[in-house]
């Protein structure tokens, strides 16, 4: 897929480039199930665990791209959970930075297993100065 000329978002010191991506994998265990997370009554991969995996992939994509004292925080997740996944199965979340809007970063995340798409998400993160952010935390 041709993404054309990269769009650059200049943080304090390091640019974040549209198209940066990362993969993270998870082998589903008991602790990852809807039963364990108390959000369902079946022992399959829980939707909240998929959200956490998608966020982990976005963080991995940003690794090494932010300035000293900077991080990103999740502000929005839109997710479609499409397939039940059993304990012992492996899933992979692939995050791709699709758009930048100032300090706001919008990622598309696909969660897949060997049979295909498990979940699709759009994750929005905002770059923050960690010290200033923590001063505002309540």
């Amino acid at each position: 897929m041709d993404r054309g000329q990269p769009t650059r978002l200049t943080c304090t010191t390091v640019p974040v480039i549209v198209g940066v991506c990362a993969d993270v994998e998870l082998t589903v265990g008991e602790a990852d199930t809807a039963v364990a997370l108390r959000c369902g009554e079946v022992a399959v991969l829980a939707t909240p665990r998929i959200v956490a995996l998608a966020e982990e992939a976005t963080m991995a994509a940003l690794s090494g791209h932010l300035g000293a004292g900077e991080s990103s925080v999740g502000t929005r997740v839109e997710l479609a959970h499409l397939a039940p996944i059993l304990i012992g199965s492996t899933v992979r979340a692939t995050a791709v930075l699709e758009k930048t809007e100032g300090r706001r970063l919008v990622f598309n995340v696909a969660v897949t297993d060997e049979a295909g798409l498990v979940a699709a998400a759009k994750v929005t993160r905002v770059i923050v100065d960690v010290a200033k952010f923590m001063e505002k935390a309540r």
Side-chain angles (χ1 to χ4, degrees), residues 1-109:
M1 178 163 110
D2 180 15
R3 298 186 190 280
Q5 192 69 353
T7 301
R8 290 184 180 266
L9 167 68
T10 302
C11 305
T12 302
T13 57
V14 182
V16 179
I17 301 171
V18 168
V20 297
C21 61
D23 297 307
V24 295
E25 284 191 351
L26 170 71
T27 299
V28 179
E30 291 280 341
D32 303 310
T33 66
V35 173
L37 294 177
R38 300 180 351 184
C39 64
E41 298 176 343
V42 289
V44 295
L45 180 59
T47 302
R49 187 60 181 95
I50 291 175
V51 170
L53 189 66
E55 294 250 48
E56 182 183 349
T58 64
M59 289 294 295
L62 291 175
S63 181
H65 292 281
L66 301 181
E70 291 181 327
S71 187
S72 69
V73 295
T75 60
R76 183 179 181 127
V77 176
E78 300 171 53
L79 179 94
H81 187 166
L82 306 169
I85 302 300
L86 296 170
I87 294 169
S89 299
T90 299
V91 293
R92 173 184 295 233
T94 302
V96 179
L97 179 60
E98 292 294 329
K99 179 170 50 169
T100 62
E101 299 168 337
R103 296 180 304 122
R104 187 174 321 175
L105 309 172
V106 180
F107 290 86
N108 283 330
V109 183

